[in-house]
Amino acid sequence: MSDWWRGGVIYQVYPRSFQDSNGDGVGDLPGIIDRLDHIASLGVDCIWLSPITQSPQADMGYDVSDYTQVDPLFGSLEDFDQLIARAHALGLKVIMDQVVSHTSDEHPWFAESSVSRDNARADWYVWADARPDGTPPNNWLSVFGGSAWEWHTSRKQYYLHNFLTSQPDLNFHNPAVQDAVLDVMRFWLDRGLDGFRLDTVNYYFHDARLRSNPPLKSLKGKPVTNPYDMQSHKFSKSQPENVAWLKKLRKLLDQYPGTTTVGEVGDDERGVELMRQYTSGTKMLHQCYSFDFLGPKFTAKHFRSKVEGFFADGETGWPCWSFSNHDVIRHMTRWAPHSASPADLSRQAAALVLTLKGSVGLYQGEELGLPEADILYEELTDPRGIRFWPEDKGRDGCRTPMPWQHDLPHAGFTTGKPWLPVKQAQSALSVDVQEAHPDSTLNAYRKLLAWRKTYPALINGDIAFFKCDEPVLAYRRSGEDKDLICIFNLSADPRTVKLSKVELALEPVSHNATLDGASLQLGPNGFAILPAPVGEGRVSYKDS
């Protein structure tokens, strides 16, 4: 089916931390191959590989020095081909990160571009003269702190870097850069890859006039850890020229039937708006995600407003919702204040993301209910955490190795010293421990994923929300012959929800839920899924 991705479930593998096969303490492609059966057992549709291409690893692979080589840290192109073949044999699609808004400063393109102002690749990166006083051309800031401009002595100009100084931004205003990026993508598609997760998809273009960003209108009374968060990034990213480029990219993907694109939109002000714009119709990206559900907000109003905002006015685009990934604190820790039990929260989060309209992204370890790891300063590897510690501890806490077997050193991830430590809180939730318990979080995910496939309404049905007070979130997923009513208590306290007098019954995947006629009792983080005749059944909840 060419549109397998629509409503599909994508499992993100962070290769460094999945499985080490050679004892060097870093996960690799052979290790992933060895663990593919685990991924297949979950019932997901696709694997997303975080960066595996050649890199000096200043930003853990998001600084690419060769787009068409696997970094030896992870294996070889032959290993990649074997992974694709094995995954396909198990019925799994494979997509991989394409980090093309910027390269490493060790990439040959940058080495050539930086030599002079008149070489063949002189305009492949974003270069600008200093202002008369020697300062950078504008006020743009780097996500990782400080100015987004770095002086280069050979060119006697500044170059733009939205992230580390060793990650210079490519100049997408240059058609030759666009063509080179498409050639890279064609290389991987020709090897059988099923598509791409596009890193920082709204960062490709900058304002050609290099106008300074205005300040953010409101900081909501809160001091910021990173000055980057004090600007409205009106000119440094999310430019209108991006639309034409994304159409060009989609045209390439359409030459490879059954492939997909997942764009990462990093824009706190316009996240859902850009998701809509970048996926609208059939000539843009297939799907996008933003960071709207990757933060601390855990309210019915928040979830409802973002989903309704995306699908407003009959929007034809497609979202990919996720609650955790390699860039944010794991949701089991972020949302813990709203729960009484990790087991209840993990099941509720799984049921919620798997019943919203859209595709789904699951991050490795999510199926185990892993919390954020408590990383010490001396254990850090993430440049963001090192820069902003302790207010921002960086991303290492969500990137620690997968725990496979609780009674082995490092929970079976490696026979060597792991690049990040495996803490006891994670080891206690190892795969082998949970395999042995039918009621474990791991088995709950498997049951939910298998159950989801039995209801077409959850794959492509419409969504409509009921009016309920906090903390109850309720909506209908519409099917051709049967609807599903989904009700969630987003709190650690029990709630009673009223249903209309239509004969309803709880689906077995419901949790902490008891139905007595038209009265639904939801325990802490309880949720109920109820099949209903098309268009029938109502939900009401008033906070007393």
Short mmCIF file of all heavy atoms in Angstrom, two decimals, residues 45-72:
data_model
loop_
_atom_site.label_atom_id
_atom_site.label_comp_id
_atom_site.label_asym_id
_atom_site.label_seq_id
_atom_site.Cartn_x
_atom_site.Cartn_y
_atom_site.Cartn_z
N ASP A 45 5.05 -0.13 12.30
CA ASP A 45 5.12 -0.23 10.84
C ASP A 45 6.48 0.13 10.27
O ASP A 45 6.82 -0.29 9.15
CB ASP A 45 4.07 0.70 10.21
CG ASP A 45 2.68 0.37 10.68
OD1 ASP A 45 2.17 -0.69 10.29
OD2 ASP A 45 2.09 1.18 11.44
N CYS A 46 7.26 0.90 11.00
CA CYS A 46 8.45 1.51 10.41
C CYS A 46 9.49 1.80 11.49
O CYS A 46 9.14 2.03 12.65
CB CYS A 46 8.04 2.80 9.70
SG CYS A 46 9.37 3.76 8.94
N ILE A 47 10.75 1.80 11.07
CA ILE A 47 11.86 2.20 11.94
C ILE A 47 12.43 3.51 11.40
O ILE A 47 12.64 3.66 10.20
CB ILE A 47 12.97 1.15 11.94
CG1 ILE A 47 12.46 -0.21 12.40
CG2 ILE A 47 14.13 1.58 12.83
CD1 ILE A 47 13.45 -1.33 12.15
N TRP A 48 12.68 4.45 12.31
CA TRP A 48 13.41 5.67 11.97
C TRP A 48 14.78 5.58 12.62
O TRP A 48 14.89 5.49 13.84
CB TRP A 48 12.63 6.90 12.41
CG TRP A 48 13.43 8.12 12.76
CD1 TRP A 48 14.67 8.48 12.32
CD2 TRP A 48 13.03 9.17 13.65
NE1 TRP A 48 15.07 9.67 12.87
CE2 TRP A 48 14.08 10.12 13.69
CE3 TRP A 48 11.89 9.42 14.41
CZ2 TRP A 48 14.02 11.29 14.47
CZ3 TRP A 48 11.83 10.57 15.18
CH2 TRP A 48 12.88 11.49 15.20
N LEU A 49 15.82 5.61 11.80
CA LEU A 49 17.19 5.58 12.30
C LEU A 49 17.70 7.01 12.47
O LEU A 49 17.75 7.78 11.51
CB LEU A 49 18.11 4.86 11.32
CG LEU A 49 17.84 3.38 11.03
CD1 LEU A 49 18.78 2.90 9.93
CD2 LEU A 49 18.02 2.55 12.29
N SER A 50 18.08 7.37 13.68
CA SER A 50 18.80 8.62 13.88
C SER A 50 20.14 8.53 13.16
O SER A 50 20.55 7.45 12.73
CB SER A 50 18.96 8.90 15.38
OG SER A 50 17.72 9.29 15.94
N PRO A 51 20.88 9.64 13.01
CA PRO A 51 22.01 9.69 12.07
C PRO A 51 23.02 8.55 12.20
O PRO A 51 23.49 8.24 13.29
CB PRO A 51 22.67 11.03 12.39
CG PRO A 51 21.57 11.88 12.87
CD PRO A 51 20.69 10.95 13.67
N ILE A 52 23.35 7.97 11.03
CA ILE A 52 24.37 6.92 10.97
C ILE A 52 25.47 7.29 9.98
O ILE A 52 26.42 6.53 9.81
CB ILE A 52 23.76 5.56 10.57
CG1 ILE A 52 23.04 5.68 9.20
CG2 ILE A 52 22.81 5.05 11.64
CD1 ILE A 52 22.63 4.35 8.60
N THR A 53 25.35 8.44 9.31
CA THR A 53 26.33 8.81 8.29
C THR A 53 27.61 9.34 8.92
O THR A 53 27.64 9.70 10.10
CB THR A 53 25.74 9.84 7.33
OG1 THR A 53 25.03 10.84 8.06
CG2 THR A 53 24.80 9.19 6.34
N GLN A 54 28.66 9.42 8.12
CA GLN A 54 29.99 9.77 8.63
C GLN A 54 29.98 11.15 9.27
O GLN A 54 29.44 12.10 8.71
CB GLN A 54 31.01 9.72 7.49
CG GLN A 54 32.45 9.81 7.96
CD GLN A 54 33.41 9.40 6.87
OE1 GLN A 54 33.38 8.29 6.37
NE2 GLN A 54 34.26 10.33 6.48
N SER A 55 30.61 11.23 10.42
CA SER A 55 30.54 12.46 11.22
C SER A 55 31.65 12.48 12.25
O SER A 55 32.02 11.44 12.79
CB SER A 55 29.18 12.51 11.93
OG SER A 55 29.17 13.48 12.96
N PRO A 56 32.16 13.67 12.58
CA PRO A 56 33.09 13.77 13.72
C PRO A 56 32.39 13.66 15.06
O PRO A 56 33.04 13.66 16.11
CB PRO A 56 33.71 15.16 13.53
CG PRO A 56 32.76 15.93 12.70
CD PRO A 56 32.08 14.92 11.81
N GLN A 57 31.06 13.57 15.05
CA GLN A 57 30.25 13.31 16.24
C GLN A 57 30.29 14.45 17.27
O GLN A 57 30.09 14.22 18.47
CB GLN A 57 30.68 12.00 16.91
CG GLN A 57 30.61 10.78 16.01
CD GLN A 57 29.20 10.40 15.59
OE1 GLN A 57 28.26 10.52 16.36
NE2 GLN A 57 29.06 9.95 14.34
N ALA A 58 30.52 15.66 16.81
CA ALA A 58 30.47 16.80 17.74
C ALA A 58 29.06 16.98 18.28
O ALA A 58 28.87 17.40 19.43
CB ALA A 58 30.94 18.07 17.04
N ASP A 59 28.06 16.66 17.46
CA ASP A 59 26.67 16.70 17.89
C ASP A 59 26.02 15.34 17.65
O ASP A 59 24.90 15.24 17.16
CB ASP A 59 25.91 17.81 17.14
CG ASP A 59 24.50 18.02 17.70
OD1 ASP A 59 24.26 17.68 18.86
OD2 ASP A 59 23.64 18.52 16.94
N MET A 60 26.74 14.30 17.98
CA MET A 60 26.25 12.93 17.93
C MET A 60 25.68 12.56 16.56
O MET A 60 24.62 11.95 16.44
CB MET A 60 25.20 12.69 19.02
CG MET A 60 25.69 13.03 20.40
SD MET A 60 27.24 12.18 20.81
CE MET A 60 27.90 13.23 22.09
N GLY A 61 26.37 12.94 15.50
CA GLY A 61 25.98 12.54 14.16
C GLY A 61 25.14 13.56 13.41
O GLY A 61 24.93 13.41 12.20
N TYR A 62 24.67 14.58 14.10
CA TYR A 62 23.91 15.64 13.43
C TYR A 62 24.85 16.68 12.82
O TYR A 62 24.43 17.79 12.50
CB TYR A 62 22.90 16.26 14.40
CG TYR A 62 21.73 15.35 14.65
CD1 TYR A 62 21.75 14.41 15.69
CD2 TYR A 62 20.60 15.38 13.84
CE1 TYR A 62 20.69 13.54 15.90
CE2 TYR A 62 19.54 14.52 14.03
CZ TYR A 62 19.59 13.60 15.07
OH TYR A 62 18.54 12.74 15.27
N ASP A 63 26.09 16.31 12.68
CA ASP A 63 27.10 17.12 11.99
C ASP A 63 27.77 16.19 10.98
O ASP A 63 28.71 15.48 11.29
CB ASP A 63 28.12 17.69 12.99
CG ASP A 63 28.67 16.64 13.95
OD1 ASP A 63 27.91 15.75 14.37
OD2 ASP A 63 29.86 16.72 14.29
N VAL A 64 27.26 16.20 9.75
CA VAL A 64 27.64 15.20 8.75
C VAL A 64 28.85 15.66 7.95
O VAL A 64 28.89 16.78 7.45
CB VAL A 64 26.46 14.92 7.80
CG1 VAL A 64 26.85 13.89 6.74
CG2 VAL A 64 25.23 14.44 8.59
N SER A 65 29.83 14.76 7.82
CA SER A 65 31.03 15.07 7.02
C SER A 65 31.04 14.31 5.69
O SER A 65 31.81 14.64 4.80
CB SER A 65 32.30 14.77 7.81
OG SER A 65 32.32 13.42 8.25
N ASP A 66 30.18 13.27 5.57
CA ASP A 66 30.02 12.57 4.29
C ASP A 66 28.63 11.95 4.28
O ASP A 66 28.34 11.04 5.05
CB ASP A 66 31.08 11.48 4.11
CG ASP A 66 31.09 10.88 2.71
OD1 ASP A 66 30.02 10.86 2.06
OD2 ASP A 66 32.16 10.42 2.26
N TYR A 67 27.78 12.44 3.39
CA TYR A 67 26.39 12.02 3.36
C TYR A 67 26.17 10.61 2.78
O TYR A 67 25.09 10.05 2.94
CB TYR A 67 25.55 13.01 2.55
CG TYR A 67 25.24 14.29 3.28
CD1 TYR A 67 25.80 15.50 2.88
CD2 TYR A 67 24.36 14.30 4.36
CE1 TYR A 67 25.50 16.68 3.54
CE2 TYR A 67 24.05 15.48 5.03
CZ TYR A 67 24.62 16.66 4.62
OH TYR A 67 24.32 17.85 5.28
N THR A 68 27.15 10.07 2.12
CA THR A 68 26.94 8.78 1.45
C THR A 68 27.81 7.67 2.03
O THR A 68 28.02 6.64 1.38
CB THR A 68 27.18 8.91 -0.07
OG1 THR A 68 28.50 9.38 -0.30
CG2 THR A 68 26.18 9.87 -0.69
N GLN A 69 28.29 7.86 3.23
CA GLN A 69 29.05 6.82 3.92
C GLN A 69 28.48 6.59 5.31
O GLN A 69 28.10 7.54 6.00
CB GLN A 69 30.52 7.20 4.03
CG GLN A 69 31.29 7.13 2.73
CD GLN A 69 31.41 5.71 2.20
OE1 GLN A 69 31.49 4.76 2.96
NE2 GLN A 69 31.42 5.58 0.87
N VAL A 70 28.41 5.35 5.72
CA VAL A 70 28.07 5.03 7.10
C VAL A 70 29.30 5.29 7.96
O VAL A 70 30.43 4.92 7.60
CB VAL A 70 27.63 3.56 7.24
CG1 VAL A 70 27.48 3.15 8.71
CG2 VAL A 70 26.32 3.33 6.49
N ASP A 71 29.11 5.95 9.08
CA ASP A 71 30.24 6.18 9.98
C ASP A 71 30.75 4.84 10.50
O ASP A 71 29.95 3.99 10.93
CB ASP A 71 29.81 7.07 11.15
CG ASP A 71 31.00 7.61 11.92
OD1 ASP A 71 31.69 6.81 12.59
OD2 ASP A 71 31.25 8.82 11.86
N PRO A 72 32.07 4.61 10.48
CA PRO A 72 32.62 3.33 10.97
C PRO A 72 32.20 3.00 12.39
O PRO A 72 32.18 1.83 12.79
CB PRO A 72 34.14 3.53 10.88
CG PRO A 72 34.31 4.57 9.79
CD PRO A 72 33.13 5.48 9.94
#
